[in-house]
mmCIF file of all heavy atoms in Angstrom:
data_model
loop_
_atom_site.group_PDB
_atom_site.id
_atom_site.type_symbol
_atom_site.label_atom_id
_atom_site.label_comp_id
_atom_site.label_asym_id
_atom_site.label_seq_id
_atom_site.Cartn_x
_atom_site.Cartn_y
_atom_site.Cartn_z
ATOM 1 N N ALA A 103 72.587 98.873 151.043
ATOM 2 C CA ALA A 103 72.905 99.484 152.400
ATOM 3 C C ALA A 103 72.948 98.393 153.511
ATOM 4 O O ALA A 103 73.858 98.376 154.241
ATOM 5 C CB ALA A 103 71.933 100.509 152.783
ATOM 6 N N LEU A 115 70.123 104.873 144.800
ATOM 7 C CA LEU A 115 69.153 105.882 145.293
ATOM 8 C C LEU A 115 69.197 107.130 144.381
ATOM 9 O O LEU A 115 68.224 107.894 144.280
ATOM 10 C CB LEU A 115 69.730 106.284 146.703
ATOM 11 C CG LEU A 115 68.684 107.202 147.586
ATOM 12 C CD1 LEU A 115 67.296 106.468 147.694
ATOM 13 C CD2 LEU A 115 69.319 107.453 148.953
ATOM 14 N N LEU A 130 61.840 107.741 152.013
ATOM 15 C CA LEU A 130 62.770 108.025 153.195
ATOM 16 C C LEU A 130 62.130 108.357 154.441
ATOM 17 O O LEU A 130 62.508 107.942 155.476
ATOM 18 C CB LEU A 130 63.747 109.278 152.708
ATOM 19 C CG LEU A 130 64.721 108.804 151.629
ATOM 20 C CD1 LEU A 130 65.397 110.087 151.209
ATOM 21 C CD2 LEU A 130 65.869 107.865 152.175
ATOM 22 N N ARG A 135 64.701 102.154 157.632
ATOM 23 C CA ARG A 135 65.823 101.526 157.154
ATOM 24 C C ARG A 135 66.528 102.356 156.107
ATOM 25 O O ARG A 135 67.686 102.129 155.824
ATOM 26 C CB ARG A 135 65.508 100.098 156.541
ATOM 27 C CG ARG A 135 64.552 100.253 155.350
ATOM 28 C CD ARG A 135 64.121 98.834 155.005
ATOM 29 N NE ARG A 135 63.046 98.979 153.985
ATOM 30 C CZ ARG A 135 62.374 98.189 153.394
ATOM 31 N NH1 ARG A 135 62.463 96.978 153.809
ATOM 32 N NH2 ARG A 135 61.585 98.423 152.477
ATOM 33 N N ALA A 136 65.875 103.243 155.419
ATOM 34 C CA ALA A 136 66.529 104.269 154.409
ATOM 35 C C ALA A 136 67.596 104.961 155.133
ATOM 36 O O ALA A 136 68.551 105.280 154.417
ATOM 37 C CB ALA A 136 65.488 105.177 153.883
ATOM 38 N N PHE A 137 67.548 105.172 156.278
ATOM 39 C CA PHE A 137 68.500 105.936 156.886
ATOM 40 C C PHE A 137 69.910 105.182 157.079
ATOM 41 O O PHE A 137 70.866 105.830 157.407
ATOM 42 C CB PHE A 137 68.104 106.455 158.376
ATOM 43 C CG PHE A 137 67.023 107.498 158.204
ATOM 44 C CD1 PHE A 137 65.724 107.248 158.441
ATOM 45 C CD2 PHE A 137 67.319 108.862 157.667
ATOM 46 C CE1 PHE A 137 64.716 108.215 158.311
ATOM 47 C CE2 PHE A 137 66.329 109.725 157.440
ATOM 48 C CZ PHE A 137 65.121 109.395 157.771
ATOM 49 N N LEU A 138 69.922 103.872 156.798
ATOM 50 C CA LEU A 138 71.079 103.125 156.691
ATOM 51 C C LEU A 138 72.029 103.760 155.566
ATOM 52 O O LEU A 138 73.094 103.812 155.694
ATOM 53 C CB LEU A 138 70.865 101.691 156.283
ATOM 54 C CG LEU A 138 70.268 100.748 157.341
ATOM 55 C CD1 LEU A 138 69.939 99.441 156.790
ATOM 56 C CD2 LEU A 138 71.300 100.595 158.509
ATOM 57 N N ILE A 139 71.257 104.317 154.504
ATOM 58 C CA ILE A 139 72.059 104.887 153.385
ATOM 59 C C ILE A 139 72.595 106.191 153.712
ATOM 60 O O ILE A 139 73.684 106.559 153.204
ATOM 61 C CB ILE A 139 71.055 104.958 152.266
ATOM 62 C CG1 ILE A 139 70.607 103.579 151.862
ATOM 63 C CG2 ILE A 139 71.749 105.631 151.006
ATOM 64 C CD1 ILE A 139 69.452 103.573 150.786
ATOM 65 N N ILE A 140 71.907 106.893 154.528
ATOM 66 C CA ILE A 140 72.293 108.465 154.746
ATOM 67 C C ILE A 140 72.762 108.616 156.081
ATOM 68 O O ILE A 140 72.562 109.666 156.626
ATOM 69 C CB ILE A 140 71.189 109.316 154.311
ATOM 70 C CG1 ILE A 140 69.889 109.113 155.075
ATOM 71 C CG2 ILE A 140 70.891 109.333 152.829
ATOM 72 C CD1 ILE A 140 68.862 110.133 154.902
ATOM 73 N N LYS A 141 73.268 107.554 156.770
ATOM 74 C CA LYS A 141 73.549 107.641 158.198
ATOM 75 C C LYS A 141 74.816 108.548 158.479
ATOM 76 O O LYS A 141 74.941 108.888 159.565
ATOM 77 C CB LYS A 141 73.772 106.275 158.794
ATOM 78 C CG LYS A 141 75.013 105.604 158.160
ATOM 79 C CD LYS A 141 75.046 104.160 158.797
ATOM 80 C CE LYS A 141 76.205 103.454 158.175
ATOM 81 N NZ LYS A 141 76.365 101.998 158.542
ATOM 82 N N ASP A 142 75.672 108.739 157.540
ATOM 83 C CA ASP A 142 76.722 109.690 157.819
ATOM 84 C C ASP A 142 76.700 110.909 156.794
ATOM 85 O O ASP A 142 76.113 110.786 155.714
ATOM 86 C CB ASP A 142 78.116 109.073 157.935
ATOM 87 C CG ASP A 142 78.570 108.442 156.583
ATOM 88 O OD1 ASP A 142 78.321 109.033 155.499
ATOM 89 O OD2 ASP A 142 79.239 107.410 156.627
ATOM 90 N N ASP A 143 77.459 111.937 157.108
ATOM 91 C CA ASP A 143 77.260 113.133 156.287
ATOM 92 C C ASP A 143 77.843 112.830 154.949
ATOM 93 O O ASP A 143 77.397 113.511 153.905
ATOM 94 C CB ASP A 143 78.127 114.225 157.051
ATOM 95 C CG ASP A 143 77.798 115.574 156.466
ATOM 96 O OD1 ASP A 143 76.696 115.947 156.416
ATOM 97 O OD2 ASP A 143 78.813 116.315 156.145
ATOM 98 N N LEU A 145 77.770 110.282 152.916
ATOM 99 C CA LEU A 145 76.764 109.708 152.096
ATOM 100 C C LEU A 145 75.578 110.680 151.770
ATOM 101 O O LEU A 145 75.025 110.744 150.709
ATOM 102 C CB LEU A 145 76.156 108.350 152.575
ATOM 103 C CG LEU A 145 77.173 107.230 152.640
ATOM 104 C CD1 LEU A 145 76.601 105.991 153.335
ATOM 105 C CD2 LEU A 145 77.607 106.885 151.210
ATOM 106 N N TYR A 146 75.188 111.442 152.903
ATOM 107 C CA TYR A 146 74.131 112.401 152.644
ATOM 108 C C TYR A 146 74.537 113.421 151.538
ATOM 109 O O TYR A 146 73.655 113.655 150.696
ATOM 110 C CB TYR A 146 73.853 113.069 153.962
ATOM 111 C CG TYR A 146 72.701 114.027 153.839
ATOM 112 C CD1 TYR A 146 71.385 113.636 153.728
ATOM 113 C CD2 TYR A 146 72.976 115.439 153.762
ATOM 114 C CE1 TYR A 146 70.397 114.484 153.505
ATOM 115 C CE2 TYR A 146 71.910 116.348 153.568
ATOM 116 C CZ TYR A 146 70.585 115.831 153.462
ATOM 117 O OH TYR A 146 69.683 116.757 153.321
ATOM 118 N N LYS A 147 75.687 113.828 151.636
ATOM 119 C CA LYS A 147 76.147 114.893 150.595
ATOM 120 C C LYS A 147 76.227 114.309 149.135
ATOM 121 O O LYS A 147 75.783 114.841 148.203
ATOM 122 C CB LYS A 147 77.566 115.390 150.975
ATOM 123 C CG LYS A 147 77.589 116.345 152.137
ATOM 124 C CD LYS A 147 78.964 116.812 152.385
ATOM 125 C CE LYS A 147 78.896 117.638 153.680
ATOM 126 N NZ LYS A 147 80.256 117.855 154.196
ATOM 127 N N ILE A 149 74.303 111.977 148.064
ATOM 128 C CA ILE A 149 72.802 111.822 147.564
ATOM 129 C C ILE A 149 72.200 113.152 147.210
ATOM 130 O O ILE A 149 71.495 113.203 146.149
ATOM 131 C CB ILE A 149 71.916 111.226 148.733
ATOM 132 C CG1 ILE A 149 72.387 109.695 148.947
ATOM 133 C CG2 ILE A 149 70.463 111.091 148.489
ATOM 134 C CD1 ILE A 149 71.942 109.135 150.257
ATOM 135 N N THR A 150 72.566 114.136 148.014
ATOM 136 C CA THR A 150 71.818 115.435 147.682
ATOM 137 C C THR A 150 72.556 116.238 146.757
ATOM 138 O O THR A 150 71.958 117.293 146.373
ATOM 139 C CB THR A 150 71.670 116.207 149.017
ATOM 140 O OG1 THR A 150 72.933 116.417 149.682
ATOM 141 C CG2 THR A 150 70.713 115.434 150.007
#
Side-chain angles (χ1 to χ4, degrees):
L115 191 59
L130 286 170
R135 63 187 176 186
F137 291 104
L138 287 169
I139 297 171
I140 57 172
K141 64 184 176 183
D142 66 39
D143 195 50
L145 289 179
Y146 180 76
K147 285 178 186 168
I149 293 166
T150 56

